[in-house]
Structure formats: structure tokens, C-alpha cells
Amino acid sequence: MGNSSFAQSNIPLKQNGLQRKDPISATNKSQDTSKTKTTDSTKSVTDTTKKKGSGLQAEVSIIAVDSQKSEVARNISHLYRGAKVKYQDFELSADYIRLDRNKKKIFASGIYDKTGKYVGRPIVIMGNGESPKTVDSLYYDYEKQEGNTYGIMTEVDGGYIQANIVRKNIYDEMSIYKGLYSTCNLPYPHTHFGIHITKGIVTKNQIISGPAYLVVMGVPMPVAFPFAFFPKPDKRASGFLFPSFGEDYTRGFSMRDIGWYLAFNDYWDSEIRGSLYSKGSWEASINTRYTVNYKFNGGFNIRYANTKTGIEGTSNYGSNKDFNVTWNHTQRQEANPGTSFSASVNFGTSSFFQNTGTGSTQNTYENLARNRMGSSISYGKVFADGKVNLTASLTHNQDMATRSLQMSLPNVSLNVSSFNPFDSKDRVGEQKWYQRINVGYSFQAQNSVSTIDTLLFKPGGFKKFQNGFQHNIPISLSLNAFKYFQFNTSVNYTERWYLQSTRQTIDNTAAGYKQRIDTVQGFNRAYDYSVSTGLSTKIYGMYPKIGKIEAIRHVVTPSINLNYRPDFSDPKYGFYQHYNDQYGNRNVYSIFSQGVYGSPSAGKSAGIGFSIDNNIEAKVKSKSDTTDGGFKKIPILQGLTFSGNYNFVADSLKLSPITFSGRTAFFDQKMNVNFNGTFDPYSVNENGVRVNRYAIKDGSLARLTNFGLSFDYSLNPKAAKSRNNNIDSLRKEMSGAGMTPEQAQALARISSDPNAFVDFNIPWNLAASFSFNMSKFFNSSTRRMDNQITSTLNLHGDFSVTPKWKVTFQSGYDFKQKEVVMTSFNIYRDLHCWDMSFGWMPFGRYRSYNVTIRAKASILQDLKLTKRASSGGSYF
């Protein structure tokens, strides 16, 4: 049982038949004082005594907040209300303490107040690292360091051990009588689960028990032991992990997550688990966690699944083999200043979560709705007093729908902070114009591949990697011109190094002409540069008072720039080549078209770039906000930006599409709205191809080619704030230092348990988010431009039926597919020291339900009752 033992809660002394050796009432504190010297005080009384020749090796310190009575002849002190006694490492506080210095004994108890309630129970601290213990009363010989304790209650690794009588000797061994271990800290657990121990001995590493029996909800179970032995190690111990049982529609009866826990040391541990299904499917996983306080923590999980499909004996019978690997690592900044290392890896086959349901995790909805996986492992180092920053990373992105995979290993980046090469450290006064010239440098190296996930580990898969190096040197100059204008000019030079290039030809085969692309190994150099100069300013506009609005301010930020870039497809550069197709047409291509950093651009560019940014906000009077003179600023429109470019030297289509974007908020910033889109100034022909004819000549200023809109809103902002605070607090604790391994294990469970974020303090919440996107495309069947529209509405919320019952739901509607998206309902019941939850997915591929009753104590997480069922799909 580890260092825990089950028990029931403590029963008050009036009920359990125990007689306190020296009962006392708060309403009657009189004693025979004919032979005593009495001192009363309403203030704190302190007496520090050290008897010579009495055998005491340290001082006995006593404090009484209410009053103190002394029997001088017998050398006995009586302390009342907030009394405290300290001798060496032993500390005791209670509402009544009797100290007998001659016999070197202490008696302590609570008192009964005027309402008859027993208050001020003794609290004992032994000074040996144990947690404080609350008792009903005690006798203690502070010289021999032994005594009897009555009605003790203390916490042991998330559980609570209580006993009617406990006697402890100088060897830290305890004898208990009528003990009980429970997961509840109430005086008598209302959801009682525990083990009664009639008599027992508790040592540092073991518990030896006499007759013991199991009790559930106050009812003794027919499970008893004449004697028992429980190991109680002072560190984590390896042991068996209990499975859960259920039934799946496609895989049959199941025994899930059976395994073994391996506690290697205080720094790392592992769980090896497996799941078996009656129809032949199986799963296996190894989950390892590690932590070094004040330095780093993390963990990795490797999972493999063999899922049977179809009906045995038929042609469609087979199996799917899937795997998934996750790794997370966090390093504290103070552990190694100037150096950073982090990892977030999620890699595997695209069908893992679909074929295994949720891959034996708690994040059901998130995993089933997942359509991408990504990984990042990064290392960083700062040099030269922070002026040089080196980073190296491994990244991967995977589309689970198309199975496409992009992987880079490694990515290397070296960035040098921009500096002014013509400035002087000894300069006096303002900078001259040439001293404002700013220069920077960056270097990138990449080795990447783009393929299908099932082909990566096939023979020759790693030969598809492309690599390259890129240098970038930006030079800029910024000046204030004519007081109201900002002048900017820049030169940007980029050079790329590649170890391979491509050549394209046409082959005449039996099946017809086919294009062939050959990869040529060898070092190649490509470069390009561009020049830009521009002006920008700010224009402020104020509108007069309108109703309750005191003023409206409109800030317009226009900017214009001239830009030039040569035509790097010119044969003199050697970056582009050509071939003739079967019709004799000349096809020009870049030999670096498949390079990781692309190729220099073809076509000469000399044009004007322009953008206009708008911000509109109102100022209204506010009774609640007294800052800024009692006025409140309300943003009306933020970041409304239009931008584009006009290329003077282009043969046609000189004006680029005009992009726009913006955001706003309503209802006191409770609903955020974002929008974006593109206007095309040119018309299209009958084949949907852009032609060199302005759309305004056909009756429209421009064509709207795409538009996106999204918003989110919560009817109860306190709920969103509470959820964010919970998540932030959890992340801080997970990355903090000083946690015990048990706390780290408990927090890991909370991070994957939906119950952890069920806030019973928030009575209700209803939130919604909406996304809309429209794009134009040419419909070959109708021979016209049509709209492709996608829109989704998502709803989620919760409400408390009672202070202990919480109902949550999540659903939505896909307007394009005209169907309800994956919907789930959950009911949670707070059972104080237990949790009960019911989850239900009423329809769809993963329709299912599950019922779970679980102990909250982290050490008892395998003590749970689970019922799952599924009517279809792979999840149960």
C-alpha cells in the first residue's frame, strides 16, 4: 500500500466511549487553589523555565493567550486559550495544556465552548519532518519522548489516517488502537471508503496490523484479514497498475491500461501499459517522466497499436499498425543563463488517434478533432553580451487528412543585432545622417524534406532531403523629413548556397511526352538584392460630440515607397534555364525551384508600394472609470489596413491585388471580431483567367476574391477568465521547482483530466465562436466564377444544477456540410474526496458514453470504477 493506510474519520470522544483523563469546560475553569498561586491575565503570558539539576537539557517555553494558573507547591502550570509549549523540537498548541515539571509530563486537550462544541484541539509538531497532527487529547512525557494520543488525525500522501488511541516511543514507532484510513478529511466521511485496523504497529518502513476489515459507505464488507503487513517506504516504489474493463463495438471486450509502474529514483519514473481486446486488437505504451529541481523537467510517451479491421475470414480482414511519439522538455532560465533548450514533439502515423479512439488518453474531443501534428526541438545560445544569438531546431508538421509531412532537421539560425557602423562610442551630440545607417546580418541553414508519412521510412526516403544555406544583410536608414514625415530607405541583399540543383527536359515515351526533372549534385550560388525608399506620416482627425460620445478620434497612417529589383532570370546570372516542349514552345525554369530557400525572382520590378492604416476610437464619460478625467476610450475600428503595389515595368497586370484586414470589438470588449480579404482590380475572361482589363470598366470598382470573418463571445466573461487563470496557474506549477515527485505526478493527471477545469464557483457559462470564409473560383461546368463558402458555428457552456452538480456541453454546426459537428455532454458530481463524471457523445462516428468514479487522492488514482460503452466507431 506504499506509505499509506486506509481508515475511517475520527469519532468525537463523546461518541466513541473514550474517557478523557482530565476533562475541562470553558465555562468552569475553577480548581482547588488553596495551595496554589494563581495568575490571571487577559493578555499573553510567557514563562521560560530552565531547572538546574532536574535533568532537563533544554528550556521549556510556555505561552498562554487567555490565562495561566500555577500550582507552585506541585510545580504544575495550567494554560488556557491559544496555549503553546515548546521543548527542543517538540511543539504543542491547544486551548488547554497542563504542564507538570516534576513528572516532566504534559496533558493537552480542547475545551467545550458555550454552545457545547469541542474546540481548540491540540496540534502536535514532532520536529522530525512529519506533518503537524491534530488530536483530541494527549499525554506526553517530554523527557522520555513517549506518551498516548487520543483521537489522532493526520494526512499521509493524500489520504487521512485516524485512530482512537496512538502511543509513540522514542524510536518513532507508533502503536494504534481502532485506527482507520480514508481518502476524506471530514470528521466522518460522507462518502466513506476505508479500512478499519483494530490494532497495529506503524514503523518507519512498514505497518503491521492485527484484525482489519473493509468499510464502504459505513457498511462493513465481507473482506477481512486476521493480520496484515503493509510496506511503507519513504520513497516511490514500483508496483502493479490496475486495468479498466469495457466493451467496444468494433474491437470487442477490453482490458485497458494494465501495466507496471517503475520508480527508478527521485528524478525519473516510467509506466508500462498495455490494452487487450477480444477481437485481436492490442495496444502498448511506455510513459516516462523526469525532473531535476531548479533545472529542468519533462517526459516522453511512446505508443504502438495493432488494430484489427473487418470480419475474420473475409477478404476485408486485416490490421492497421500505428504509432505515436510525444516528448516535452522544459528548462528553467536560471539553470543555465544564456542557454535555452526546449522540446515539444508529437509525431506518428496519421491514423493513430482515429484507429485507437483517443490513444488511451483523457483528451477525447481534442484528439478526435485533431487534423495536424507538429513538433519542435530547439536550442539557443547568446554570445557577445547578447548581440549574437544562435538557435538550432528540429521541426516537423504533419497533415493527418492528406498524410503530407514536412520535416526539417536541423534548422540553424545565427542573428547579429543591428548596429551603426559609422557611429562612434565617443560621439557628442546628435547623430549625423550617415551615423544613422543601420546594418544587420542573419544566417540560416536548413535540411528538410516534404513527403508522405508512410514513405519517409521506406528505402530511399532520406535521400529526398533538400538542404541549403542563406545569408541576409539588410541596410537601412531612417530620418525625420520636413518635421511631419518619416523617411525610410533600405537595401536588402540575400545570398543562397545549395548543394544540389535541378534540370528539366521532355522525354518521348511510349505513353507520350513526359516532363523529367533531374537532380544535379554540386555547389551552386544564387543571390538577389532590392532597393526601397519611402515616406510615411500620421494624420489626426477629430469629430465633434455626438450624443453621449464626447469625441471621436481618427488616426490615418499612409505610407508610400519606391522599390526596385532586377530581373534575375536574365541569362547573365545563370539562375534560369529553358527547354522546348513537344510543341516547340520555350519554357523557362529556375534551377533552384526546389531549393529550401527558393530562387531569385524572375521579372524586373520597379514600382510604388502603398498602404493606409486606420484606427478609430471614441471617448465617452464613465462613472466606473475615474482615470483619464472620468472618460473611457472605446475602440471602434482597429488596424483597418489596405495595401498593394504598382509595377511600372511589368508587361501587364501592373497593379497587384489589394489586401485589407481589420478588427473591432463590441459589448465592452467582450466580443472580438476579425476580418480580412482581397480585392482584385482586374477582370477575368470566360475561362476564369485574369486579363489586363480593369474591373471598373466592367461596372465594378474591384472584384472581391476572398473574405474571412470570425468572432467569439462569452455571455459570462468571468468563466473565460477563471479558465485561463486555472490553465496559467497549472503551467506555472508544472514548470516550477521544488515539487515532490508525487505532486508532479498529480499535476500530470490534472493536465489530462477534464474534471480539473470544472469550476464549481462559476454558476454558468455560454460561449460561442463563428468563422466564415468565402473565396472565388472558376466553375468549369457552369463556365463562371462561383463562391466557395465555409462557415462553422461552435457552442460550449456549462451550468451548475446545484453547488455540487455541474453540466457541460460542446457542440456546433457546419453550414457547408449541413450537419452537427461532434457533440458531447458531461455531468460532474463533486463527492468531496471523490469525483464522479458521466460523458456522452449522442451521435456521430464516435458516439459513446462513459461513467467514472475516481478518488481525488493522487496516490489512489488507480482506485476507480469505470463503465464504458460504444455503439460504433473506434472509441469507447
Side-chain angles (χ1 to χ4, degrees), residues 25 123 174 192 230 244 248 252-253 262 354 432 463 480 588 619 680 704 767 789 830:
S25 170
I123 300 176
M174 292 190 301
H192 181 141
F230 305 106
S244 61
D248 181 82
F253 295 101
L262 298 172
Q354 284 71 27
K432 296 181 173 56
K463 294 182 179 180
N480 292 324
V588 179
K619 182 184 287 188
D680 192 336
L704 181 64
I789 296 176
D830 184 1

PDB file of all heavy atoms in Angstrom, residues 25 123 174 192 230 244 248 252-253 262 354 432 463 480 588 619 680 704 767 789 830:
ATOM      1  N   SER A  25     -14.017  22.233  31.016  1.00  0.00           N
ATOM      2  CA  SER A  25     -15.028  23.016  30.321  1.00  0.00           C
ATOM      3  C   SER A  25     -14.614  24.467  30.299  1.00  0.00           C
ATOM      4  O   SER A  25     -14.044  24.995  31.253  1.00  0.00           O
ATOM      5  CB  SER A  25     -16.389  22.879  31.010  1.00  0.00           C
ATOM      6  OG  SER A  25     -17.298  23.797  30.489  1.00  0.00           O
ATOM      7  N   ILE A 123      -2.583  20.502  18.531  1.00  0.00           N
ATOM      8  CA  ILE A 123      -1.829  20.318  17.295  1.00  0.00           C
ATOM      9  C   ILE A 123      -0.387  20.066  17.688  1.00  0.00           C
ATOM     10  O   ILE A 123       0.217  20.865  18.415  1.00  0.00           O
ATOM     11  CB  ILE A 123      -1.938  21.542  16.372  1.00  0.00           C
ATOM     12  CG1 ILE A 123      -3.399  21.795  15.988  1.00  0.00           C
ATOM     13  CG2 ILE A 123      -1.079  21.354  15.123  1.00  0.00           C
ATOM     14  CD1 ILE A 123      -3.599  23.039  15.162  1.00  0.00           C
ATOM     15  N   MET A 174       4.867   3.723  16.356  1.00  0.00           N
ATOM     16  CA  MET A 174       3.557   4.048  16.894  1.00  0.00           C
ATOM     17  C   MET A 174       2.712   2.788  17.019  1.00  0.00           C
ATOM     18  O   MET A 174       2.679   1.957  16.108  1.00  0.00           O
ATOM     19  CB  MET A 174       2.823   5.056  15.987  1.00  0.00           C
ATOM     20  CG  MET A 174       3.435   6.433  15.951  1.00  0.00           C
ATOM     21  SD  MET A 174       2.371   7.638  15.120  1.00  0.00           S
ATOM     22  CE  MET A 174       2.209   6.896  13.513  1.00  0.00           C
ATOM     23  N   HIS A 192     -17.744   7.314   2.431  1.00  0.00           N
ATOM     24  CA  HIS A 192     -16.763   6.615   3.225  1.00  0.00           C
ATOM     25  C   HIS A 192     -16.196   5.414   2.470  1.00  0.00           C
ATOM     26  O   HIS A 192     -16.930   4.572   2.007  1.00  0.00           O
ATOM     27  CB  HIS A 192     -17.456   6.161   4.515  1.00  0.00           C
ATOM     28  CG  HIS A 192     -16.539   5.432   5.450  1.00  0.00           C
ATOM     29  ND1 HIS A 192     -16.592   5.613   6.798  1.00  0.00           N
ATOM     30  CD2 HIS A 192     -15.567   4.521   5.254  1.00  0.00           C
ATOM     31  CE1 HIS A 192     -15.693   4.841   7.378  1.00  0.00           C
ATOM     32  NE2 HIS A 192     -15.060   4.168   6.451  1.00  0.00           N
ATOM     33  N   PHE A 230       1.953  -4.273   5.627  1.00  0.00           N
ATOM     34  CA  PHE A 230       1.986  -3.315   4.527  1.00  0.00           C
ATOM     35  C   PHE A 230       3.351  -2.629   4.519  1.00  0.00           C
ATOM     36  O   PHE A 230       3.764  -2.065   5.538  1.00  0.00           O
ATOM     37  CB  PHE A 230       0.903  -2.245   4.682  1.00  0.00           C
ATOM     38  CG  PHE A 230      -0.481  -2.799   4.840  1.00  0.00           C
ATOM     39  CD1 PHE A 230      -1.116  -2.770   6.072  1.00  0.00           C
ATOM     40  CD2 PHE A 230      -1.147  -3.337   3.770  1.00  0.00           C
ATOM     41  CE1 PHE A 230      -2.388  -3.270   6.224  1.00  0.00           C
ATOM     42  CE2 PHE A 230      -2.420  -3.845   3.908  1.00  0.00           C
ATOM     43  CZ  PHE A 230      -3.044  -3.813   5.143  1.00  0.00           C
ATOM     44  N   SER A 244      -8.724  -1.112 -16.476  1.00  0.00           N
ATOM     45  CA  SER A 244     -10.172  -0.865 -16.509  1.00  0.00           C
ATOM     46  C   SER A 244     -10.769  -1.754 -17.592  1.00  0.00           C
ATOM     47  O   SER A 244     -10.088  -2.140 -18.542  1.00  0.00           O
ATOM     48  CB  SER A 244     -10.472   0.611 -16.786  1.00  0.00           C
ATOM     49  OG  SER A 244      -9.948   1.002 -18.042  1.00  0.00           O
ATOM     50  N   ASP A 248     -16.066  -2.501 -26.687  1.00  0.00           N
ATOM     51  CA  ASP A 248     -16.021  -1.650 -27.866  1.00  0.00           C
ATOM     52  C   ASP A 248     -16.758  -2.342 -29.007  1.00  0.00           C
ATOM     53  O   ASP A 248     -16.645  -3.555 -29.185  1.00  0.00           O
ATOM     54  CB  ASP A 248     -14.572  -1.379 -28.274  1.00  0.00           C
ATOM     55  CG  ASP A 248     -14.493  -0.484 -29.482  1.00  0.00           C
ATOM     56  OD1 ASP A 248     -14.596   0.740 -29.324  1.00  0.00           O
ATOM     57  OD2 ASP A 248     -14.342  -1.018 -30.598  1.00  0.00           O
ATOM     58  N   GLY A 252     -14.394  -5.367 -29.525  1.00  0.00           N
ATOM     59  CA  GLY A 252     -14.838  -6.375 -28.563  1.00  0.00           C
ATOM     60  C   GLY A 252     -14.584  -5.980 -27.126  1.00  0.00           C
ATOM     61  O   GLY A 252     -14.313  -4.827 -26.805  1.00  0.00           O
ATOM     62  N   PHE A 253     -14.688  -6.971 -26.240  1.00  0.00           N
ATOM     63  CA  PHE A 253     -14.445  -6.732 -24.819  1.00  0.00           C
ATOM     64  C   PHE A 253     -12.985  -6.353 -24.611  1.00  0.00           C
ATOM     65  O   PHE A 253     -12.097  -6.847 -25.315  1.00  0.00           O
ATOM     66  CB  PHE A 253     -14.800  -7.974 -24.004  1.00  0.00           C
ATOM     67  CG  PHE A 253     -16.263  -8.313 -24.037  1.00  0.00           C
ATOM     68  CD1 PHE A 253     -16.736  -9.325 -24.859  1.00  0.00           C
ATOM     69  CD2 PHE A 253     -17.172  -7.604 -23.257  1.00  0.00           C
ATOM     70  CE1 PHE A 253     -18.081  -9.641 -24.907  1.00  0.00           C
ATOM     71  CE2 PHE A 253     -18.513  -7.912 -23.298  1.00  0.00           C
ATOM     72  CZ  PHE A 253     -18.984  -8.922 -24.128  1.00  0.00           C
ATOM     73  N   LEU A 262       7.311   1.749 -12.684  1.00  0.00           N
ATOM     74  CA  LEU A 262       8.717   1.610 -12.354  1.00  0.00           C
ATOM     75  C   LEU A 262       9.212   2.906 -11.730  1.00  0.00           C
ATOM     76  O   LEU A 262       9.230   3.954 -12.384  1.00  0.00           O
ATOM     77  CB  LEU A 262       9.536   1.287 -13.609  1.00  0.00           C
ATOM     78  CG  LEU A 262       9.183  -0.025 -14.324  1.00  0.00           C
ATOM     79  CD1 LEU A 262       9.937  -0.111 -15.647  1.00  0.00           C
ATOM     80  CD2 LEU A 262       9.509  -1.220 -13.445  1.00  0.00           C
ATOM     81  N   GLN A 354      -7.527   8.062 -34.796  1.00  0.00           N
ATOM     82  CA  GLN A 354      -8.790   7.580 -35.337  1.00  0.00           C
ATOM     83  C   GLN A 354      -8.964   6.085 -35.112  1.00  0.00           C
ATOM     84  O   GLN A 354     -10.050   5.608 -34.778  1.00  0.00           O
ATOM     85  CB  GLN A 354      -8.884   7.901 -36.837  1.00  0.00           C
ATOM     86  CG  GLN A 354      -9.192   9.357 -37.156  1.00  0.00           C
ATOM     87  CD  GLN A 354      -8.033  10.274 -36.867  1.00  0.00           C
ATOM     88  OE1 GLN A 354      -6.882   9.841 -36.905  1.00  0.00           O
ATOM     89  NE2 GLN A 354      -8.317  11.521 -36.573  1.00  0.00           N
ATOM     90  N   LYS A 432      24.716  62.297 -36.887  1.00  0.00           N
ATOM     91  CA  LYS A 432      24.623  62.822 -38.233  1.00  0.00           C
ATOM     92  C   LYS A 432      23.898  61.807 -39.096  1.00  0.00           C
ATOM     93  O   LYS A 432      23.730  60.657 -38.713  1.00  0.00           O
ATOM     94  CB  LYS A 432      26.018  63.124 -38.771  1.00  0.00           C
ATOM     95  CG  LYS A 432      26.746  64.218 -38.006  1.00  0.00           C
ATOM     96  CD  LYS A 432      28.111  64.479 -38.596  1.00  0.00           C
ATOM     97  CE  LYS A 432      28.784  65.669 -37.952  1.00  0.00           C
ATOM     98  NZ  LYS A 432      28.923  65.566 -36.489  1.00  0.00           N
ATOM     99  N   LYS A 463      16.871  10.104 -48.803  1.00  0.00           N
ATOM    100  CA  LYS A 463      17.588  10.725 -49.910  1.00  0.00           C
ATOM    101  C   LYS A 463      16.830  11.898 -50.512  1.00  0.00           C
ATOM    102  O   LYS A 463      17.362  12.629 -51.340  1.00  0.00           O
ATOM    103  CB  LYS A 463      17.869   9.678 -50.997  1.00  0.00           C
ATOM    104  CG  LYS A 463      18.840   8.579 -50.569  1.00  0.00           C
ATOM    105  CD  LYS A 463      19.120   7.605 -51.699  1.00  0.00           C
ATOM    106  CE  LYS A 463      20.103   6.531 -51.274  1.00  0.00           C
ATOM    107  NZ  LYS A 463      20.381   5.563 -52.372  1.00  0.00           N
ATOM    108  N   ASN A 480      13.846  61.808 -39.978  1.00  0.00           N
ATOM    109  CA  ASN A 480      12.667  62.667 -39.920  1.00  0.00           C
ATOM    110  C   ASN A 480      12.806  63.743 -40.978  1.00  0.00           C
ATOM    111  O   ASN A 480      13.767  64.522 -40.974  1.00  0.00           O
ATOM    112  CB  ASN A 480      12.527  63.312 -38.535  1.00  0.00           C
ATOM    113  CG  ASN A 480      12.198  62.300 -37.460  1.00  0.00           C
ATOM    114  OD1 ASN A 480      11.465  61.348 -37.714  1.00  0.00           O
ATOM    115  ND2 ASN A 480      12.755  62.491 -36.272  1.00  0.00           N
ATOM    116  N   VAL A 588      10.803  28.460 -69.562  1.00  0.00           N
ATOM    117  CA  VAL A 588      11.879  28.953 -68.700  1.00  0.00           C
ATOM    118  C   VAL A 588      11.637  28.452 -67.276  1.00  0.00           C
ATOM    119  O   VAL A 588      10.511  28.498 -66.772  1.00  0.00           O
ATOM    120  CB  VAL A 588      11.955  30.488 -68.729  1.00  0.00           C
ATOM    121  CG1 VAL A 588      13.071  30.992 -67.808  1.00  0.00           C
ATOM    122  CG2 VAL A 588      12.183  30.984 -70.158  1.00  0.00           C
ATOM    123  N   LYS A 619     -14.421  58.522 -27.220  1.00  0.00           N
ATOM    124  CA  LYS A 619     -14.232  58.859 -25.818  1.00  0.00           C
ATOM    125  C   LYS A 619     -15.592  59.197 -25.224  1.00  0.00           C
ATOM    126  O   LYS A 619     -16.275  60.113 -25.686  1.00  0.00           O
ATOM    127  CB  LYS A 619     -13.285  60.033 -25.667  1.00  0.00           C
ATOM    128  CG  LYS A 619     -13.001  60.420 -24.207  1.00  0.00           C
ATOM    129  CD  LYS A 619     -12.119  61.651 -24.119  1.00  0.00           C
ATOM    130  CE  LYS A 619     -10.707  61.307 -24.519  1.00  0.00           C
ATOM    131  NZ  LYS A 619      -9.782  62.452 -24.265  1.00  0.00           N
ATOM    132  N   ASP A 680      -9.413  42.217 -56.229  1.00  0.00           N
ATOM    133  CA  ASP A 680      -8.654  42.109 -57.473  1.00  0.00           C
ATOM    134  C   ASP A 680      -9.118  43.222 -58.407  1.00  0.00           C
ATOM    135  O   ASP A 680     -10.300  43.282 -58.763  1.00  0.00           O
ATOM    136  CB  ASP A 680      -8.890  40.747 -58.123  1.00  0.00           C
ATOM    137  CG  ASP A 680      -7.915  40.474 -59.258  1.00  0.00           C
ATOM    138  OD1 ASP A 680      -7.384  41.444 -59.832  1.00  0.00           O
ATOM    139  OD2 ASP A 680      -7.687  39.291 -59.571  1.00  0.00           O
ATOM    140  N   LEU A 704     -14.122  41.201 -55.349  1.00  0.00           N
ATOM    141  CA  LEU A 704     -13.798  40.617 -54.048  1.00  0.00           C
ATOM    142  C   LEU A 704     -13.516  39.120 -54.261  1.00  0.00           C
ATOM    143  O   LEU A 704     -14.440  38.345 -54.523  1.00  0.00           O
ATOM    144  CB  LEU A 704     -14.953  40.816 -53.069  1.00  0.00           C
ATOM    145  CG  LEU A 704     -14.747  40.262 -51.653  1.00  0.00           C
ATOM    146  CD1 LEU A 704     -13.608  40.994 -50.954  1.00  0.00           C
ATOM    147  CD2 LEU A 704     -16.024  40.368 -50.834  1.00  0.00           C
ATOM    148  N   ALA A 767     -20.706  30.251 -24.289  1.00  0.00           N
ATOM    149  CA  ALA A 767     -19.802  30.938 -25.203  1.00  0.00           C
ATOM    150  C   ALA A 767     -19.999  30.392 -26.612  1.00  0.00           C
ATOM    151  O   ALA A 767     -20.416  29.242 -26.801  1.00  0.00           O
ATOM    152  CB  ALA A 767     -18.349  30.770 -24.766  1.00  0.00           C
ATOM    153  N   ILE A 789     -17.931  28.697 -50.056  1.00  0.00           N
ATOM    154  CA  ILE A 789     -18.175  29.251 -48.719  1.00  0.00           C
ATOM    155  C   ILE A 789     -18.072  28.147 -47.679  1.00  0.00           C
ATOM    156  O   ILE A 789     -18.630  27.060 -47.849  1.00  0.00           O
ATOM    157  CB  ILE A 789     -19.565  29.917 -48.649  1.00  0.00           C
ATOM    158  CG1 ILE A 789     -19.631  31.112 -49.606  1.00  0.00           C
ATOM    159  CG2 ILE A 789     -19.873  30.371 -47.211  1.00  0.00           C
ATOM    160  CD1 ILE A 789     -20.989  31.762 -49.662  1.00  0.00           C
ATOM    161  N   ASP A 830     -19.316  16.547  -7.556  1.00  0.00           N
ATOM    162  CA  ASP A 830     -18.254  16.685  -6.574  1.00  0.00           C
ATOM    163  C   ASP A 830     -18.649  15.896  -5.327  1.00  0.00           C
ATOM    164  O   ASP A 830     -19.584  16.271  -4.615  1.00  0.00           O
ATOM    165  CB  ASP A 830     -18.047  18.163  -6.236  1.00  0.00           C
ATOM    166  CG  ASP A 830     -16.887  18.377  -5.276  1.00  0.00           C
ATOM    167  OD1 ASP A 830     -16.250  17.381  -4.893  1.00  0.00           O
ATOM    168  OD2 ASP A 830     -16.626  19.538  -4.915  1.00  0.00           O
TER     169      ASP A 830
END
